[in-house]
Amino acid sequence: MKPLTLLAAVFVLSSIAGLAQAKPIEAVASFTVIADMVHNVGGDHVHVTSLIGPNGDPHAYEPTPNDAQALKRADIVFVSGLQLEGWLDRLIKASGYKGPPVVLSNGIKTRSMEEDGQQITDPHAWNSAANGVIYVRNIISALQKADPENTRDYQARGENYIKDLEQADAYARTQVHAIANDKRKVLTSHDAFGYFGDAYGVTFLSPLGFSTETEASAADVAKLIRQIKKEHVSTYFFENASDPRLVKQIADASGAQPGGELYVEALSPADGPAATYVQMFHYNVDKLTAAMKGN
């Protein structure tokens, strides 16, 4: 019976080892858009926690003790970068997480604007689907480095996901380019659609700069109202993570009509219209183009 006992022991040990290997990587993402991207590439190999939940504002976010605990348990951390998550460095230091986070905007051709005499980089790079492809390639590379055993799976899942983003990019171009140039103008809460505008040919006007924490002066608001009237901007949108009162005030003064809600820096809850990055992108394209067409 001894050989059978030995075989049984080997089988048990092998099973335990298999269970240990099957434990998913613990990944933390700064906000929901990134978390969804990581989930799409990682699949069952990766368990993703988003520090900021649906409809959250990454500019004004205040970390919690639970966030520090999530970082402490993390094997890998993903951020967008470009100064979006200014609160994260302090949180990482407080949590005890070792190693730098993976910055997904690396490789992006950035855009900037002048705010208060300084050149500020626009952090909202994911609002171009082509930039989303760069984010995904950075995720693939980081997960392969962290978990070499599943390199093939990450590559295959990532490439399939990239096809979805390339289709979304082509869809946006087709929908927007069917609209006359002088109609491609929209008012939004803050300047978060610059990469979208550059990629697809839409002009976005907003009372606030790149951050929702900035404040618009009375002179800036008055200037924007005059510009909206002069350029015949007919539609305004508010954002799911932003206070709509200022943009509503400007719209009332300029005559712009409501176009609805856009999802910019956060996904909707699971039962909403923008529960994934791809859904969010398509939803925004459809809302924007319907408004620019006058529907």
Side-chain angles (χ1 to χ4, degrees):
M1 295 295 291
K2 285 185 178 179
L4 288 175
T5 304
L6 180 60
L7 285 172
V10 169
F11 176 79
V12 170
L13 290 172
S14 297
S15 299
I16 292 172
L19 288 172
Q21 291 173 357
K23 183 179 181 296
I25 289 177
E26 287 294 330
V28 166
S30 53
F31 60 107
T32 51
V33 173
I34 290 178
D36 181 62
M37 291 179 174
V38 174
H39 171 71
N40 273 277
V41 177
D44 293 338
H45 300 306
V46 180
H47 175 255
V48 191
T49 298
S50 179
L51 297 180
I52 304 174
N55 294 330
D57 182 351
H59 297 287
Y61 185 67
E62 295 185 7
T64 68
N66 286 340
D67 295 334
Q69 289 298 316
L71 282 169
K72 186 176 182 179
R73 295 189 300 268
D75 300 308
I76 189 168
V77 176
F78 294 93
V79 301
S80 182
L82 303 179
Q83 306 301 313
L84 177 69
E85 304 99 335
W87 41 268
L88 190 64
D89 287 345
R90 296 188 302 275
L91 179 61
I92 286 177
K93 186 177 292 186
S95 71
Y97 175 80
K98 304 299 182 184
V102 179
V103 180
L104 298 182
S105 59
N106 283 344
I108 297 290
K109 183 180 178 182
T110 58
R111 60 188 303 274
S112 62
M113 70 179 291
E114 187 174 308
E115 284 186 2
D116 300 325
Q118 294 183 323
Q119 283 296 120
I120 308 296
T121 300
D122 185 348
H124 307 94
W126 63 88
N127 282 318
S128 153
N131 285 346
V133 171
I134 295 174
Y135 276 51
V136 172
R137 294 205 183 281
N138 287 333
I139 291 169
I140 294 169
S141 178
L143 289 178
Q144 287 176 331
K145 184 177 179 181
D147 181 20
E149 289 186 12
N150 292 304
T151 289
R152 282 180 153 182
D153 284 353
Y154 297 137
Q155 193 69 44
R157 291 183 63 87
E159 292 298 335
N160 284 334
Y161 188 39
I162 284 170
K163 289 178 183 176
D164 291 340
L165 300 188
E166 290 174 340
Q167 289 173 358
D169 181 65
Y171 177 76
R173 294 180 193 282
T174 300
Q175 295 300 307
V176 173
H177 291 178
I179 300 167
N181 284 327
D182 64 343
K183 300 294 184 183
R184 301 180 197 171
K185 297 172 184 177
V186 175
L187 171 65
T188 57
S189 301
H190 82 296
D191 196 355
F193 276 97
Y195 290 98
F196 185 104
D198 289 351
Y200 310 114
V202 179
T203 298
F204 289 90
L205 305 176
S206 62
L208 302 179
F210 292 147
S211 174
T212 55
E213 294 186 296
T214 59
E215 293 186 5
S217 68
D220 289 338
V221 170
K223 180 181 177 182
L224 181 59
I225 291 170
R226 290 195 298 271
Q227 185 181 4
I228 291 167
K229 290 180 176 179
K230 180 181 177 182
E231 298 188 18
H232 305 290
V233 178
S234 61
T235 309
Y236 77 90
F237 287 91
F238 60 93
E239 300 160 13
N240 66 316
S242 299
D243 188 334
R245 286 176 295 180
L246 179 57
V247 72
K248 178 68 166 59
Q249 173 190 337
I250 293 169
D252 289 344
S254 65
Q257 298 300 307
E261 183 178 47
L262 298 176
Y263 290 83
V264 185
E265 298 163 333
L267 302 180
S268 69
D271 59 351
T276 70
Y277 173 56
V278 171
Q279 288 176 357
M280 178 189 88
F281 189 83
H282 275 271
Y283 174 89
N284 288 341
V285 169
D286 289 343
K287 279 286 185 181
L288 288 165
T289 53
M292 290 185 287
K293 290 175 182 176
N295 297 335

